[in-house]
Amino acid sequence: ASLIIPYMPYSRMDRSEEASVFTLKYICEFINSLDFTSVTLLEPHSDVTPALLNRVKLVFPTTKLLQVAKSHMSFSDEDYIFFPDAGAQKRYNKMAGQNSLVGYKQRDFQTGKITSLEIVGTLPTKPFKAIIVDDLSSYGGTFIAAATELRKIGATEIYLVVAHAEKSILEGEIFKTDLIQKVFATDSIVDMEDATERLVIYSEKAFRT
C-alpha cells in the first residue's frame, strides 16, 4: 500500500528548541513502521521530514502557484519575490530570479508572536509589486509583519503564495486588512469551499502528477 500526505502533521516540530519538542521524529517513526511501498509528501516544511521518512516522493506545488500569481499580477523584472525567513529562502531561492528580498525575524517562542522583522537585500529604488513565498500560513502574523515592512519600502501590491494554509488563516489579520491583495494556496488543509475572492485555492491532487 502507498500513502499520500497532503500536509505532514507536526512538520514544524522538526527540532528541539527552547520549549519545543521534536514530535516530527516520532510521527515519522510510526509511519515507517507501517511499511508503505511509497509515501508521497506535498511540500515538506524542511529537509528533516524527507530525511526521516522511508521511500518518500516529494511534490512541490509552490512553483506552479507562483507562476499563477505572477500571471495574475503581471509580474515584471522590476518586481520582487520576498522570503519571510532564511528557511524559505533556502527552499525557494531557485525560483526567485533576479530580484529577491529576505526577512530576518525575531519571535517570542512563548507567545509565538513576531517581535520584529528586518528586510535584507538590495532594496528597490522605486515602487514595485511583491510576492511573499513560503510553505505554510497559520494566522499569518509573519506575513502581516512582512507586508507592513514591504509597504514601507515602496510595495504597491503584495500577494502571498503558500502551499499549505491552515483554517486559522481565515481568523487572522490577513483578510482584515488590505496589506495583502490575494493569497494563493492548495486545499491540503483548507477546503475548496473556503475560497473567496482574496483566498484562491487549488486542488492539491492536481500537483501530484
Side-chain angles (χ1 to χ4, degrees), residues 12-204:
R12 287 181 291 183
M13 302 180 74
D14 57 1
R15 61 192 181 279
S16 296
E17 186 175 54
E18 296 192 13
S20 66
V21 180
F22 193 1
T23 307
L24 179 64
K25 174 183 177 182
Y26 305 105
I27 297 296
C28 290
E29 286 178 354
F30 172 73
I31 292 173
N32 288 337
S33 73
L34 300 176
D35 200 28
F36 291 103
T37 56
S38 67
V39 178
T40 300
L41 175 62
L42 196 79
E43 200 91 29
H45 178 63
S46 69
D47 295 336
V48 178
T49 303
L52 292 173
L53 286 175
N54 297 335
R55 297 180 288 277
V56 65
K57 173 189 174 183
L58 304 180
V59 179
F60 295 93
T62 307
T63 302
K64 292 182 180 179
L65 286 174
L66 180 60
Q67 294 307 315
V68 171
K70 282 184 172 181
S71 176
H72 175 84
M73 64 186 286
S74 301
F75 192 88
S76 74
D77 292 338
E78 297 179 352
D79 298 325
Y80 281 74
I81 300 296
F82 178 79
F83 306 115
D85 54 38
Q89 181 188 32
K90 179 182 177 181
R91 282 193 299 274
Y92 306 120
N93 194 45
K94 290 182 180 179
M95 66 174 70
Q98 183 176 357
N99 296 334
S100 66
L101 298 167
V102 184
Y104 284 86
K105 59 187 178 183
Q106 298 292 324
R107 184 189 297 272
D108 184 330
F109 280 95
Q110 297 300 318
T111 65
K113 293 184 178 181
I114 304 300
T115 55
S116 67
L117 188 145
E118 177 186 1
I119 295 178
V120 177
T122 303
L123 300 184
T125 57
K126 54 186 176 181
F128 65 98
K129 301 174 186 176
I131 303 177
I132 303 172
V133 180
D134 208 349
D135 67 309
L136 173 69
S137 175
S138 52
Y139 287 94
T142 294
F143 306 123
I144 288 293
T148 299
E149 297 304 315
L150 287 167
R151 291 286 187 183
K152 290 179 182 178
I153 63 171
T156 58
E157 295 179 30
I158 301 172
Y159 298 81
L160 172 62
V161 169
V162 287
H164 312 288
E166 295 181 355
K167 289 274 189 177
S168 54
I169 194 174
L170 302 170
E171 304 169 14
E173 296 298 317
I174 288 180
F175 302 117
K176 297 176 183 177
T177 74
D178 58 1
L179 285 170
I180 296 173
Q181 271 66 46
K182 286 183 185 292
V183 178
F184 297 86
T186 74
D187 65 344
S188 60
I189 305 177
V190 293
D191 299 321
M192 296 295 285
E193 291 77 12
D194 295 320
T196 66
E197 184 177 342
R198 293 181 62 192
L199 176 57
V200 184
I201 302 175
Y202 293 85
S203 171
E204 57 84 13

